[in-house]
Every structure is written in structure tokens, then in C-alpha cells.
Amino acid sequence: MYTKMLIPLDGSKTSEKVLPYARYLAGKLKIPVELLAVIDMADRATHIPAEKARFFDSMIEEGVKSSANYLRGVAGTFGDADVKCTVEKGEADAVIIEKGEADKGMLICMATHGRSGLDRFLLGSVAEDVLRAAANPLLLVRATEEAKSEGVAALKSIILPLDGSELAESIIPMDMAKNLRLEVVLFRAYHIPTYAYAGDETSSVVDYDELMVGVRDEATEYLEKKVAEVKHLGVDKVSFVTKEGFAADEIIALGRKTPDSLIAMCSHGRTGVKRWVLGSVTEAVVRHSGDPVLVLRAK
């Protein structure tokens, strides 16, 4: 499993929207937690009036003390979990990424936008930079108006989208499913591009319904095989869902229909592109899903 959880917070209610899920995982998995606040000295320096520049050092130290007190207050909401509070100086994304590099087994838990709290379906700059650069597993919660910051969340199932690639299959979170006793819901979306059946002047038009039945049956057969494999690995509750449509849309829709679910996805799927950005499907789900998303890096 994970060596610990790192939870960056900036004092905003927005960044705290990840806390109910973090409390749940800390309590169930019994792993240590590090709460992190970062004092961005360069950012603060650009906003301090010239006449107060001589007080800059004392203002920074006051910020450190204030952040430490804030983190200790949050730590008290984790019950008997092993919680460490850390205040660092620097740029938030760089500090988080550096901590991740020092401990690749650490789970980084973040709201998808922090300090700015912008009400839009885009990742905040810090979360986006961590997504692109960190090799660690990430638990991301989109900070909607409805999302809570108090209490403890509950999880009953893990939705695991598969696209038929070994890459996507390599990240099945077996330990989490078994330790939390969650149902694993394997999912595959399918659709047929227009060019595959429309034909042209020199070719006959392929029967759409016949082609769709074949694609659906192939997806069903594939998932039935994967269900058997996952059960063989020790997960008691495993089911599958297939759905015609575009992958990101159908993953998000299934999450909405499945109470207390976690969506687990690979950071790049079918294409396997080796780059520091999310695959398009995973990125769309992170940006628009109302469910927590566990982003796992393919090895």
C-alpha cells in the first residue's frame, strides 16, 4: 500500500474538500499523515508595500506560526491517526513534487483547485503542476460548492475503467480494494467511429447494428475474463459494466449513478504516451467528475 499520505492545505475551505476522504483512508488503512502548508516567500514579497518591506522577515515568521497553528487544528480532526504537521518555505508545487520524489510510495491528496478557489472546471495551477510532474499516486477531489470539508467520507466501490491495454490493467488497486473491502466495478465504454461503418463511393456500407453488437460482445467478453482474474486475486465483490458512448462521459455518468464510489484511473491509457501530462480521458474525468479520482502512474 502507501507509506503515508501527504495533504497540502492553504487554509482555504476549497483545499479542505479533500479532508473527508483523507480521514477515511487514514482511519481504514492506518497509514501516517503529513499535513503540509507552504509559505511562498516570492509571492508574498511581490504584494508587500515598500514602506513595510523592513518587516518582511517578521511577517514570514508570523505566517509560519499561523500556518502551524492552522495545521494543528486540522490534525485534531483525524482522531487517533498518526499526523505530522509541516510548514515549508518555497513554491507549493515544487515543495510537493520534491517530497514526492523522496518517497515514491506516498499518496498525495489534493483538492483540484486550492488558493484561487476559481469556480470553473479547470485544475488549479498547483494541482495541475503536481499532476504533470509527480510520479506518485494522487487522490484528487474536485472542490465543488456541494463538497464538504467536515466529517468522514465513506467509500463502497472502486470504478476501474479499462480500455483493453496492459497499461490500464497494470494499475488495478488490489490492496486498496481488499483492505477497504470495496466492490470493484470494471468498466469499459465502446463506440464506433463514423469512418468505420459509413463506407465511401468504392465500398459497401457496413451494417451499423451488426457492427455494434460485435463491439459490445467483445467488450463484455473482455470484462468477464477480467472479473474472473480479479476474483482469483482475492477480491470478493467484482462486477462489470459496459456502455456505448465516449469513455470520459460514461465514466463520469457511472460515478454519478454509483453512490460512495472512487474512480481509479491510469495517468495515460491506450496511447501510452511517455510525457508529463495526463491522458485525455483521465484529465477529463479529473476535471469534471464529482467523485474522488485516484490517479495511478503506470509502471
Side-chain angles (χ1 to χ4, degrees), residues 10-32:
D10 62 11
S12 69
K13 287 297 181 183
T14 302
S15 67
E16 293 176 2
K17 297 297 177 74
V18 73
L19 290 175
Y21 294 99
R23 294 186 190 106
Y24 171 82
L25 293 176
K28 292 290 186 179
L29 299 179
K30 306 300 181 185
I31 55 177

Side-chain angles (χ1 to χ4, degrees), residues 41-282:
M41 298 178 66
D43 179 66
R44 296 200 176 196
T46 61
H47 293 90
I48 187 172
E51 64 272 14
K52 295 184 178 180
R54 64 182 184 277
F55 303 118
F56 181 72
D57 289 342
S58 60
M59 292 174 65
I60 291 297
E61 292 310 311
E62 183 61 32
V64 170
K65 292 179 183 179
S66 176
S67 294
N69 289 334
Y70 163 71
L71 293 182
R72 284 193 289 268
V74 175
T77 68
F78 275 78
D80 60 356
D82 178 11
V83 183
K84 173 185 177 182
C85 299
T86 303
V87 181
E88 300 273 3
K89 298 175 184 177
E91 295 183 356
D93 52 351
V95 172
I96 296 166
I97 293 166
E98 183 178 353
K99 283 183 171 290
E101 290 175 345
D103 184 357
K104 296 296 177 60
M106 180 173 65
L107 174 65
I108 301 174
C109 305
M110 299 181 68
T112 53
H113 49 263
R115 180 176 300 163
S116 62
L118 296 177
D119 185 17
R120 55 179 181 165
F121 291 142
L122 293 173
L123 301 178
S125 59
V126 174
E128 188 169 7
D129 288 343
V130 174
L131 277 165
R132 289 179 173 178
N136 300 72
L138 307 173
L139 177 68
L140 299 167
V141 176
R142 188 163 65 85
T144 63
E145 291 286 340
E146 298 79 17
K148 298 179 179 179
S149 58
E150 302 81 14
V152 181
L155 292 176
K156 296 179 181 178
S157 62
I158 298 178
I159 297 172
L160 183 64
L162 298 175
D163 60 7
S165 69
E166 293 182 2
L167 193 64
E169 294 170 9
S170 70
I171 57 88
I172 297 178
M174 298 299 302
D175 289 341
M176 178 177 285
K178 289 189 285 188
N179 290 338
L180 300 180
R181 298 182 179 179
L182 302 178
E183 178 182 1
V184 174
V185 181
L186 304 181
F187 176 75
R188 186 165 183 178
Y190 59 90
H191 75 283
I192 303 174
T194 303
Y195 65 78
Y197 61 86
D200 56 32
E201 295 179 354
T202 61
S203 63
S204 59
V205 177
V206 177
D207 183 88
Y208 176 85
D209 292 336
E210 180 180 344
L211 188 59
M212 182 58 69
V213 169
V215 172
R216 182 192 64 206
D217 290 348
E218 180 184 359
T220 299
E221 182 179 352
Y222 165 73
L223 289 183
E224 286 176 340
K225 179 182 177 181
K226 294 306 168 185
V227 165
E229 291 178 4
V230 173
K231 286 184 176 180
H232 182 71
L233 293 174
V235 178
D236 296 329
K237 297 180 180 180
V238 189
S239 60
F240 74 88
V241 176
T242 61
K243 184 71 175 178
E244 180 184 355
F246 293 100
D249 295 340
E250 299 305 332
I251 293 166
I252 293 168
L254 180 60
R256 290 172 179 165
K257 296 175 184 176
T258 310
D260 302 323
S261 61
L262 169 72
I263 300 172
M265 300 190 70
C266 185
S267 59
H268 45 265
R270 181 173 300 161
T271 60
V273 177
K274 302 293 186 182
R275 54 179 182 165
W276 291 119
V277 295
L278 295 176
S280 58
V281 174
T282 301

